[in-house]
Amino acid sequence: MAPDTANLDTIVNHITTSNNIAALNANIKNTLPKDTRDLILSGPLAGGQDPLTVLDFRQNSLGVLYILSARLQVSHVLPPWALVNQFCQDFDPEQLRYAPERVNMLAKCLVKYAAHHNNPRLAIPSLYLLVTRYPPMPSYLTTMHPLFLLQCATTRSFAYALPLLENHQITDIVPSLSPDITYLDNLTYHYLAGVTLAALNRWALAEDYFEICITAPAHSGTISAIQMEALKKLNLHISSAEIHQQLLLRAFRNTPYHQLISAYPSQTETLRALVEKERNVFTNEKNLGLVMQALRRAPRWQVKKLTATYVTLSFVDIGKQVGIPNEEEVRDLVLSMIESGDIHGTLSTTTVTFSDAPQQFTKAQVDRVLYDAQRDFQRLQLLDMEIGKSKEFLSKAVKNQSDNWSSGMAMDDDSFPMSQSGSWTEDVGFA
């Protein structure tokens, strides 16, 4: 079936002349038949002209979104990547929020389009722009967030996600931005964020994301496999994560990971035997690399534990505790831990004296804290305004005001005590 070019010309005319974005969105959806809408939108104008060369990406963002997503979906006339990236850089976010289902469709089409070119990395810059520009606040989660991180993880392009994960933690979910968002989108995003940061050796921040995933309330009384995977990876790094979900805790106790953590870090021979026994499990679940890394880091954990008990120790004594007989190797281990900031202390010829971490803050860190405080204050102000406008709040406020007025009018006898003579006029001198 050939595209209806007359209909497309009419739609493009509406796009370029409309001053009401909500009405334009309804017009595009209602004017074209649902089953042929994308086919019509993906075609040329009556004169053979490409509508994307007629429309301004900023001024006509909603119309371009419909046409571009349709063209990527139908796939018979694919646009160049430069044009796709240009739209993602220039679009007006407010216009796109009138059609969240088309924004999600565009994101999914970008992934398919990159796969069509046998280069999945092509989609990452455009997805990043959608994720960071489409939501009104960077703290809002959308269905595109896990899609973006999955693309970064599967292509091992972890660094592309670092600015987003470092600077913008998710705190809000607004269904109107992504009507099809689900509980699993939240879990998937935070799990993939943890995986991404772990791959970049940003373990402190990775722990935060894994913990958010793990501590999310159970859905319908069941735990998610994603939460279990997050717990496994978290435990392989910090050796003992606190678990408050009893369902998740019981399930975790039945895995070889729990046995590994129970013996970690001091029972070296037990650890090695367990890894050999469960190697197939760790390999199939793609955690063998983390397991082996945990084994290599076991002596470091043991040294770190010693700092909680001792102030000064000889390298010989440390070697006995961690199972390293060579004094020079122990010295190198302790020195590398001090240099990396894992522990703090000073070395002598044969001993180390441990100390507490110095408290130091850069101007950038102080500025960041102040910025976050100001941003949180603004959010609280907005929340206060929203609550103040809500029907429930206004109803309660009116009711409370009415109750207070009534109680003020109904004064009891104790408020104005009578004199012994029983006449209130005598008390005020009118007798």
Side-chain angles (χ1 to χ4, degrees), residues 152-213:
C152 290
T154 53
T155 60
R156 302 194 66 78
S157 305
F158 301 110
Y160 281 98
L162 190 58
L164 176 69
L165 300 180
E166 275 192 322
N167 301 316
H168 306 297
Q169 286 203 341
I170 297 298
T171 58
D172 300 287
I173 296 177
V174 181
S176 60
L177 289 174
S178 295
D180 55 345
I181 197 166
T182 68
Y183 169 77
L184 289 178
D185 288 315
N186 178 51
L187 296 184
T188 302
Y189 175 75
H190 286 96
Y191 169 73
L192 289 173
V195 170
T196 299
L197 291 163
L200 295 170
N201 293 319
R202 307 297 285 266
W203 269 105
L205 192 53
E207 289 173 19
D208 292 340
Y209 279 98
F210 281 138
E211 286 177 355
I212 292 172
C213 178

Side-chain angles (χ1 to χ4, degrees), residues 127-139:
L127 287 173
Y128 178 79
L129 290 168
L130 285 173
V131 165
T132 54
R133 299 190 64 238
Y134 171 67
M137 296 284 287
S139 60

Side-chain angles (χ1 to χ4, degrees), residues 47-64:
Q49 195 174 9
D50 183 350
L52 292 178
T53 63
V54 175
L55 300 174
D56 181 273
F57 285 2
R58 180 72 182 177
Q59 298 297 324
N60 311 127
S61 294
L62 182 66
V64 176

